[in-house]
């Protein structure tokens, strides 16, 4: 349990930034668990096997929120974040794309509605899409974090592979904007070639527009970004001891090939290059291939 978390609530610009105050804010309750399992065995034929795994998860929820700091957290007075995670995303739920003007006319009133545009769900049923139709659409905390390492050996050869990942979370896919929307001063991504049109109504990419790109927080921009990534793979060969012993002063020599950040698996609708690259302006983690020697004297 954590009480009185410090926060700086936003204020109206007309008040002046000098009026900003650091206040005691939310209280939270956090629970979690961790589990590690390992197995190792060397068989009679000289083959060795080792497997190590780890799993973990934690959940948090806000249990108390003073009214004076409510604006610093997602949610509204009517749809409070109390009972939700402090890492919850508050936004709109989409219902595909408008397929025709008749579809626009028969749906809830929505600013910028157009054939091929994003259609948002009228959650409160009042016939108008506005801030009251927002809800908690997911959490940036994963339901599960996990990793696995496998080590194999046979005679003078060895092999190891390590991977880790997360499951059950959402996050903003930074490539959605650059790939699925038209931009006035940037080259378009390949996604715009498959944008919705009256003859391409099965696409989930909005019809091209410079004025009506709807970028409000929604489940169109925040998607499942679970992943599993192969972080390290290594293959090695150790020269036989009877050969090494002939070389003065050397006790062992091993040559190896190693790859880092090799490849990863993501959900089908995640289009980003790397799920850990949350900003397209950041330098991506490179894939590194290396060849090396381990020498002992």
């Amino acid at each position: 349990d954590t009480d009185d978390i410090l926060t700086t609530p936003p204020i109206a610009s007309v008040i002046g930034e000098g009026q900003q105050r650091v206040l005691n804010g939310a209280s939270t309750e956090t629970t979690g668990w961790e589990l590690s399992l390992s197995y190792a065995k060397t068989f009679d034929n000289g083959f060795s096997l080792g497997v190590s795994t780890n799993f973990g998860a934690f959940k948090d929820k806000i249990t108390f929120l003073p009214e004076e700091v409510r604006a610093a957290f997602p949610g509204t007075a009517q749809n409070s974040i109390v009972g939700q995670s402090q890492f919850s995303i508050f936004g709109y739920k989409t219902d595909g794309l408008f397929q025709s003007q008749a579809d626009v006319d028969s749906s809830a009133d929505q600013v910028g509605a157009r054939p091929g545009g994003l259609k948002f769900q009228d959650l409160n049923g009042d016939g108008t899409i506005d801030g009251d139709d927002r809800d908690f659409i997911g959490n940036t905390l994963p339901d599960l974090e996990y990793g696995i390492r496998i080590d194999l050996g046979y005679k003078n050869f060895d092999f190891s592979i390590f991977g880790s990942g997360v499951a059950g979370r959402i996050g903003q896919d930074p490539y959605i904007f650059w790939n699925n929307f038209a931009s006035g001063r940037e080259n378009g991504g390949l996604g715009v070639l498959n944008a919705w049109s009256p003859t391409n109504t099965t696409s989930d990419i909005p019809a091209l527009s410079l004025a009506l790109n709807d970028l409000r927080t929604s489940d169109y921009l925040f998607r499942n970004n679970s992943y599993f990534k192969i972080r390290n793979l290594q293959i090695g060969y150790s020269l036989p001891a009877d050969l090494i012993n002939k070389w003065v002063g050397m006790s062992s020599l091993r040559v190896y090939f190693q790859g880092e950040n090799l490849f990863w698996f993501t959900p089908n609708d995640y289009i980003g290059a790397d799920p850990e690259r949350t900003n397209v302006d950041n330098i991506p983690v490179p894939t590194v291939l290396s060849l090396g020697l381990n020498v002992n004297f």
Side-chain angles (χ1 to χ4, degrees):
D1 294 316
T2 305
D3 296 322
D4 299 329
I5 297 173
L6 292 176
T7 186
T8 305
I11 61 171
S13 299
V14 295
I15 298 178
E17 62 182 23
Q19 298 299 312
Q20 286 187 327
R21 296 179 298 159
V22 177
L23 303 174
N24 291 111
S27 297
T28 64
E29 177 184 286
T30 304
T31 58
W33 58 271
E34 293 180 351
L35 174 67
S36 178
L37 298 172
S38 299
Y39 173 82
K41 183 174 182 178
T42 300
F43 297 88
D44 294 338
N45 62 0
F47 176 76
S48 63
L49 167 67
V51 180
S52 300
T53 62
N54 61 84
F55 307 89
F58 78 92
K59 292 293 185 182
D60 76 312
K61 67 178 180 179
I62 293 178
T63 56
F64 174 71
L65 187 65
E67 180 61 28
E68 59 267 25
V69 300
R70 182 177 56 80
F73 293 84
T76 64
Q78 293 74 31
N79 194 354
S80 173
I81 195 174
V82 174
Q84 302 279 349
S85 166
Q86 59 184 313
F87 302 103
S88 295
I89 301 299
F90 191 67
Y92 295 87
K93 295 182 178 181
T94 56
D95 189 21
L97 304 178
F98 290 108
Q99 295 299 312
S100 63
Q101 186 58 47
D103 189 9
V104 173
D105 296 339
S106 62
S107 301
D109 292 337
Q110 176 181 317
V111 175
R114 62 192 175 96
L118 288 173
K119 180 196 295 187
F120 296 102
Q121 296 182 24
D122 182 17
L123 297 184
N124 65 358
D126 65 356
T128 300
I129 303 298
D130 55 25
D132 293 333
D133 293 299
R134 293 174 296 169
D135 201 357
F136 293 96
I137 59 177
N139 196 329
T140 59
L141 282 181
D143 290 334
L144 178 69
E145 300 179 70
Y146 60 97
I148 181 170
R149 177 185 175 95
I150 300 174
D151 295 289
L152 305 175
Y154 183 69
K155 295 184 177 179
N156 295 80
F157 291 93
D158 62 84
F159 170 84
S160 68
I161 185 171
F162 168 69
S164 65
V166 300
R169 73 171 190 184
I170 66 169
Q172 187 168 13
D173 187 340
Y175 285 79
I176 292 293
F177 172 76
W178 300 106
N179 189 72
N180 292 13
F181 294 95
S183 175
R185 61 183 182 87
E186 305 283 352
N187 288 333
L190 293 178
V192 300
L193 299 177
N194 188 39
W196 185 96
S197 71
T199 58
N200 186 34
T201 58
T202 60
S203 176
D204 65 346
I205 298 176
L208 300 184
S209 171
L210 293 178
L212 298 172
N213 290 331
D214 205 321
L215 301 177
R216 70 185 79 182
T217 300
S218 71
D219 58 9
Y220 187 81
L221 296 178
F222 283 82
R223 303 187 178 192
N224 179 4
N225 65 347
S226 304
Y227 66 87
F228 178 75
K229 178 178 286 191
I230 301 298
R231 299 189 180 277
N232 186 279
L233 183 149
Q234 189 174 118
I235 301 173
Y237 177 77
S238 299
L239 272 66
D242 55 354
L243 176 61
I244 295 298
N245 292 336
K246 297 178 182 179
W247 299 349
V248 178
M250 187 178 297
S251 60
S252 67
L253 188 152
R254 173 177 173 269
V255 60
Y256 67 88
F257 173 78
Q258 178 174 269
E260 300 176 75
N261 201 47
L262 291 175
F263 50 88
W264 43 88
F265 305 91
T266 57
N268 291 334
D269 62 347
Y270 185 86
I271 67 172
D274 186 332
E276 294 182 309
R277 187 187 184 194
T278 57
N279 188 328
V280 294
D281 295 325
N282 293 343
I283 297 175
V285 179
T287 296
V288 179
L289 303 177
S290 57
L291 183 66
L293 292 174
N294 296 131
V295 181
N296 293 315
F297 295 92

